[in-house]
Every structure is written in C-alpha cells, then in structure tokens.
Amino acid sequence: MGIEHMKHLKFFIFLCILTFTVSCGQQKKYIQYKVKKGETITEIAKKLDMSARDLYRLNPDVDKKPEENTVIIIPNKKMQTLKSENPKKDVATEKDKTKENNNIEDDNSVSKDIITDKERQKTELIEALEKEYKIHEVKKGDTFYSLTRFYDVSREDLIALNPELSEGLKLQQIIKIKKLEEVFDEEDFLYVDEIEDGVSIKAALMLPFRAKELDSLTRTQIFGNSKLANIVAEFYMGVEIAVDSLRKQGVNIRLDVYDTESNSTRIRSIVAEKDLDDNDVIIGPLYSEEAQFLAEKIKTPIVFPFYSSKQSTFTSKRLVKTSPNKKLFREKLLEHITNNFHDGNIILVGDGEAESNLNAKQIQNELEKHDSINSVAVITPQKGYIKRSKFTDVLKPNMNNLVVLTTDDNVIVASAINSLISLPEDVTVRVFTFDKVSAFNKVDNFKLAKIGFTYVSDEFVREDSFKSINFNNKYLEKNGVLPSYYATRGFDVTYDVLMRLASGKSLKSTFDEGYSYRVESKFDYTNKLFKITENKGLFIVKYNPDLTLTRID
C-alpha cells in the first residue's frame, strides 16, 4: 500500500520509539558523551588522547567550557580510554539504555588545562577557510616545489593568496591553495547543483519495512535479531534528512513510501494497484529480482540503492545502479598504479585459486607493458600461507616496492602482511588491494598503517569536512544518534537523485552533465555503455601512520 509519509505505517511508530536504539549491526564511528560539571574540552580531549582541535571539529558549536550535561560527540575508538580510567562509568551509546541520561562518570583528578586562544583561533580559521578554499597545513618536508607540483599551482599564486608566504613556509601553517570554484573547474565533468524556481518532484520509495510481519514483535525482537530491519530503518532515516534538506532549499517534494514486505511478496500488487509511472523517480526496491521485475513493468527511472552481485545481469535502461561493479575496482587500481608508479618493483600475491590467478595474470600482462616498471613477480602461498622468504627473494632494497594482494583469504592476507612488516629496514614496501574486504578488517590497523595500506573504495569521507559535519549535526538533531553507513547511504543516494531532478531536467540527461560528490559517495554515471546506467565513482584510499585515511585519487 502506498503512503505519503512513514508515519502511516505501524513500523514508523517503532522507528519513533527506537530512534535512539536502531543500530546497523556495525560499530558506530562516534558516540555521545555528556559533559560533567566543570569539565573543559581540553580536559576531555586529554583523557581521550586526542587534540582539543580535533574535538572542536567534531563539535563546532561547543564552547571551551561547555555547560553541565551538554552532549558532545567523541570517537567510539577512544571510549576504551575512558573505560580504563574508571570502570564504573556508563557509556552513552543509546538513549534508552539508561535512565540516568547516559552520564559517563569521570575521575576528578585530571588537571584543569585551559585551551589557548591560539589553538582555538586556528580551529576556527580552518573551519572558515575550508568552506571557500582548498587548504593545506604545512608539514615537515614541505617545500614550495613540492606544493606547486602536488597542487599544480605556481609559487606566485600561492603567495598572492597567502602574502605571509613571502617570508617562507612555517611548520603547521594553514595556507590557501585555491578557491573551491577553481578546484571544481579543474574537474572536467563535475556536476553543478542547480535548482529551478518552483520545481516540483514526485518520487516513490520502496523498501521491505515488513510492517505487518513485525507488528506484534517488540523492538528488541525487531532490531536485535534482524540486520535487514536495521538497514531499512537507517536507510529511511537518511532519506528523510535528504528530503528535508531539499525542501528547505525550496524544492517541492512529494514522497510516497511503499512497504514491499518480504522478497517478491508485495511488489506485484503494488504495480497492479498504483500508477508508478506518475513518479519522476523510484528509489528501490531493495532486492535485485524486484528491481528487474519493476523495470519490465514501468517507464520511470528505478534507482537501485545498494550493491548486489546480481546487478551485472541488469540490462534494462531504466535501472540506475548506484554502486560500482566489482570489476571496476580492479580497473581503478590498475589505472592508479600505471599513472603513478614509475620506478620500481611490483609483486603480486595470489592464493592459487582460479579467480586470484586470473586477476594476477591480467594485472601482470597490463603492468609489463610499461617500461617504467622494472619487474613484475607473482608469488603464491606454500602450505596455505606466505613465508617471509617468499618476499625477501623478490623484494629489492633501496627501491620502490609495491605489493598487490589479489586474494581475500584470511590466512594468506594475515601471513603476507605479517611477513611484510618484518622486512629489513632498507626494504620499503607499500601494499595495495582492489577492495578492503573482511580479510583486511581482521588485520590490526597499526600493521596496515605501517605498510601504507592502499585500497579501492566506493566510499570516502573527511570527518572534519563541512559537508560531513553539517550532515552529522542534522542527523543527530533529528534522530538522537550519529548516522551509520546505511543512513549516510540513504542520504547520499536520495539527495543526489532529487538534486539532479530539481534542475528541472530528466534524471538521465543530468548524468551526461557530470559526476557528483556527496557525503561519502561519488556518483559518476558518465560514458554509459549501451546506455546502461552504472555508477563508476571510486576512490583510492591510503592508511596514514596516525591511522587516519587519505584519499589519493
């Protein structure tokens, strides 16, 4: 049954009650912390072993001496630090977990450091500048030559934007590189958001809420035992933020929400009962079988919101695949290596299985075409793991060595990385892979950082960016928790599609006008093969020594 708002479903009542308890089954990036009387941001940051500046970035509207019971955001990975100081304190991850307002009791013996005006001003400067400029914080080893080469600007341009540079570069100096519009202009096909005056959009959202099925269950039964329920609920809450944001920008949006229930049980009756071609776009359904069925019955563009291994079989021109196919990950990595690796030695690590062998062989053939690459070697496991000697036989000292892992086998990945981090000091190595699958998630992040682990991803976010902070704050204000991956996905997919329609043009025609960046995703539907619309937006992401991530391509 179609509905205009989720509140007409009994399931929406569950969502309202459980706003603070819905979880996608994965660890949250951030959690809430309620400030104790007399605490300062500096004290809290010190206990979390992080800088006050980084804590201010997560909480840009908080004063240096926040009032008692002010709720701030802290990285979840830092929570163990607080736990170790006082095992009796309460962790505030969900609103209904405690009747004591989720207070975290803290040790009062921490000294009262006062944040300096200089540090505070620097934080405010960064937040203000990055709204208009691409900026850079000067690090050890930076030179005018390296900056001009890396950012493709002249020394004169840098000094014109930053007159203080006439006196030279200074460590930790914040400098302006280019105005953002200049950065955008350099991207040949970047889509420019435009909203036509008085534009109206009619959209449909199809998700398996399973309201009737879940009506008699408790919220613990719903969200504690069903990953699907969590995914659907959080995706929908992200959709809400996207719709609210566009409405505030003057876009008139009618959103009809349909409960498709379990796979293929309701989709046929929805098609029979409703005129779905009356919509400008349909987001969903979630199951690939339903999406293909729907594409055969209607003429409206259908946005498939998640990746499916079956999406490679989609042939309808009406379907919009928002997640890149896995073959594109390998192509992206190969392109990056051939464009950037010009002097050194490459080792491909496989697992001996057919798919891995094929990947390794194809990569080897491609790389050997480039004269700048000295050699390409392939190694495979012995007795199920990679010995250190396998690498020492082919890795070369005092040379760039690049290792590409073409396997997702847990044991082989772990043994290869353990062998690589124990190499002699004169052997430097960086490790690449197509996709950060579960095998790499089981490896300690410090090990990954030590080898400069680099991978292809369809998501990347700078947590301190204005776009990310703005979305997180809106989501937190509306739902009481920070967004999960699925909530952010709901926002990105919906906002991108509706923003393109807000231009007054057809959705498909906007795809020819360029790719777009949202909170975590890049949507690149250009150069459609056989007019099948598939997102090719991918990032190359690298681990830094401090465990942060940097997008390098």
Side-chain angles (χ1 to χ4, degrees):
M1 178 178 65
I3 54 175
E4 184 174 358
H5 295 292
M6 190 60 149
K7 62 183 179 181
H8 297 300
L9 285 173
K10 290 185 178 180
F11 189 73
F12 181 68
I13 299 176
F14 285 128
L15 292 182
C16 291
I17 296 173
L18 296 175
T19 296
F20 300 94
T21 62
V22 175
S23 168
C24 68
Q26 62 182 11
Q27 187 179 27
K28 301 290 185 183
K29 295 178 181 177
Y30 301 98
I31 55 177
Q32 299 176 63
Y33 173 82
K34 189 158 288 188
V35 177
K36 294 285 291 179
K37 184 177 181 180
E39 278 189 320
T40 67
I41 290 295
T42 302
E43 291 173 10
I44 298 171
K46 184 175 181 180
K47 285 183 284 186
L48 294 173
D49 193 26
M50 63 187 297
S51 70
R53 187 185 73 180
D54 289 341
L55 193 53
Y56 273 121
R57 284 182 174 181
L58 291 176
N59 303 274
D61 299 324
V62 176
D63 295 330
K64 62 183 179 182
K65 291 183 178 180
E67 295 181 1
E68 182 182 2
N69 293 329
T70 297
V71 175
I72 66 171
I73 305 307
I74 65 173
N76 199 5
K77 65 181 181 180
K78 302 289 187 180
M79 180 51 64
Q80 194 61 40
T81 303
L82 289 173
K83 281 185 176 181
S84 63
E85 289 185 6
N86 187 348
K88 295 182 179 180
K89 62 179 172 289
D90 230 340
V91 178
T93 55
E94 299 175 350
K95 187 176 180 180
D96 64 346
K97 268 191 175 182
T98 176
K99 296 180 180 179
E100 286 77 26
N101 297 321
N102 298 321
N103 284 330
I104 301 176
E105 300 297 334
D106 295 305
D107 190 280
N108 291 324
S109 62
V110 180
S111 60
K112 304 280 186 179
D113 293 335
I114 305 299
I115 188 170
T116 64
D117 289 339
K118 184 177 180 180
E119 186 175 359
R120 175 71 177 193
Q121 289 168 4
K122 184 176 181 180
T123 301
E124 293 173 349
L125 175 65
I126 291 173
E127 292 173 352
L129 287 179
E130 70 176 359
K131 296 178 184 179
E132 299 182 51
Y133 297 92
K134 185 178 185 67
I135 64 173
H136 176 87
E137 182 172 355
V138 178
K139 301 177 179 63
K140 185 177 180 180
D142 282 346
T143 64
F144 276 112
Y145 179 75
S146 66
L147 292 176
T148 56
R149 287 290 298 273
F150 185 80
Y151 290 113
D152 192 24
V153 295
S154 69
R155 179 175 180 144
E156 291 72 22
D157 288 339
L158 286 178
I159 294 177
L161 277 178
N162 310 273
E164 65 275 15
L165 292 184
S166 59
E167 300 177 2
L169 295 170
K170 297 178 182 178
L171 198 62
Q172 296 185 331
Q173 190 176 21
I174 306 301
I175 61 175
K176 294 173 282 189
I177 302 297
K178 295 178 183 178
K179 292 188 72 69
L180 286 182
E181 54 262 34
E182 295 177 22
V183 176
F184 294 158
D185 288 343
E186 291 174 1
E187 305 221 37
D188 295 336
F189 290 103
L190 188 72
Y191 180 76
V192 179
D193 292 342
E194 295 178 339
I195 297 178
E196 183 182 63
D197 290 340
V199 67
S200 294
I201 300 172
K202 188 174 185 298
L205 177 67
M206 293 186 169
L207 293 173
F209 295 105
R210 300 183 297 154
K212 293 180 181 178
E213 178 184 344
L214 302 177
D215 183 52
S216 61
L217 302 180
T218 66
R219 56 194 180 189
T220 300
Q221 290 173 320
I222 295 173
F223 297 108
N225 301 319
S226 174
K227 182 178 180 180
L228 177 62
N230 289 300
I231 291 173
V232 170
E234 295 193 353
F235 185 88
Y236 175 77
M237 290 191 283
V239 171
E240 281 190 313
I241 300 296
V243 172
D244 289 347
S245 178
L246 286 163
R247 282 173 176 165
K248 289 177 180 177
Q249 296 178 62
V251 183
N252 181 19
I253 300 174
R254 174 180 171 180
L255 180 67
D256 292 329
V257 181
Y258 296 87
D259 183 358
T260 58
E261 299 182 6
S262 298
N263 191 4
S264 300
T265 60
R266 177 69 179 144
I267 190 72
R268 294 179 184 276
S269 57
I270 293 174
V271 171
E273 296 168 5
K274 302 296 178 181
D275 181 12
L276 297 177
D277 279 327
D278 189 39
N279 292 286
D280 296 299
V281 68
I282 296 174
I283 300 172
L286 197 63
Y287 298 108
S288 57
E289 297 87 349
E290 293 181 340
Q292 293 186 87
F293 169 79
L294 195 60
E296 295 172 356
K297 302 298 181 181
I298 66 172
K299 299 178 181 180
T300 303
I302 301 164
V303 176
F304 192 63
F306 291 110
Y307 172 77
S308 168
S309 58
K310 298 178 181 179
Q311 70 180 41
S312 59
T313 64
F314 291 178
T315 57
S316 173
K317 297 177 183 179
R318 298 184 184 90
L319 283 166
V320 178
K321 295 185 280 189
T322 62
S323 294
N325 279 328
K326 293 305 179 183
K327 67 176 183 179
L328 295 174
F329 284 61
R330 188 183 71 188
E331 293 174 6
K332 178 72 173 179
L333 182 61
L334 263 177
E335 178 186 29
H336 175 78
I337 292 174
T338 54
N339 288 342
N340 297 279
F341 195 76
H342 301 300
D343 180 25
N345 178 39
I346 295 181
I347 297 90
L348 307 177
V349 179
D351 57 22
E353 299 297 327
E355 183 177 357
S356 178
N357 288 343
L358 177 62
N359 279 330
K361 188 63 177 177
Q362 290 177 338
I363 294 172
Q364 184 179 25
N365 292 339
E366 182 67 28
L367 294 177
E368 286 179 341
K369 297 176 183 178
H370 297 268
D371 296 336
S372 60
I373 298 174
N374 294 331
S375 64
V376 180
V378 178
I379 64 176
T380 53
Q382 183 177 359
K383 296 181 179 180
Y385 66 96
I386 306 290
K387 292 182 178 181
R388 183 173 178 271
S389 59
K390 286 269 190 176
F391 287 112
T392 55
D393 288 343
V394 292
L395 291 172
K396 300 178 181 179
N398 304 313
M399 179 181 286
N400 292 324
N401 291 291
L402 187 152
V403 173
V404 181
L405 296 176
T406 66
T407 176
D408 58 3
D409 182 275
N410 293 337
V411 176
I412 296 174
V413 166
S415 63
I417 291 176
N418 285 335
S419 295
L420 288 168
I421 63 175
S422 64
L423 293 172
E425 291 185 2
D426 61 347
V427 178
T428 59
V429 63
R430 281 185 61 189
V431 176
F432 287 69
T433 193
F434 311 129
D435 193 5
K436 190 172 180 284
V437 293
S438 60
F440 297 96
N441 292 329
K442 295 175 182 178
V443 177
D444 186 279
N445 285 337
F446 287 100
K447 293 181 179 180
L448 297 178
K450 187 173 181 179
I451 54 177
F453 180 65
T454 304
Y455 61 98
V456 184
S457 176
D458 59 358
E459 57 175 296
F460 175 77
V461 60
R462 275 189 56 192
E463 300 290 356
D464 60 347
S465 69
F466 175 76
K467 184 183 297 183
S468 176
I469 291 174
N470 187 45
F471 170 62
N472 286 347
N473 286 344
K474 286 181 179 178
Y475 191 92
L476 177 63
E477 181 181 359
K478 185 176 180 68
N479 299 303
V481 292
L482 281 160
S484 68
Y485 162 78
Y486 297 109
T488 307
R489 183 69 180 169
F491 175 87
D492 278 358
V493 168
T494 304
Y495 189 90
D496 187 70
V497 167
L498 297 185
M499 175 57 83
R500 288 173 180 270
L501 285 170
S503 67
K505 304 173 185 176
S506 70
L507 181 61
K508 290 296 184 74
S509 68
T510 67
F511 294 152
D512 296 325
E513 296 181 9
Y515 49 79
S516 55
Y517 294 97
R518 301 308 174 188
V519 177
E520 287 189 357
S521 303
K522 176 182 178 181
F523 296 102
D524 180 6
Y525 301 106
T526 59
N527 302 320
K528 299 182 289 295
L529 182 64
F530 307 121
K531 299 299 181 180
I532 296 175
T533 307
E534 176 182 356
N535 182 20
K536 304 187 297 298
L538 292 168
F539 307 100
I540 303 288
V541 182
K542 176 181 177 294
Y543 268 71
N544 299 315
D546 62 357
L547 301 186
T548 59
L549 299 174
T550 296
R551 177 193 168 193
I552 61 175
D553 195 357

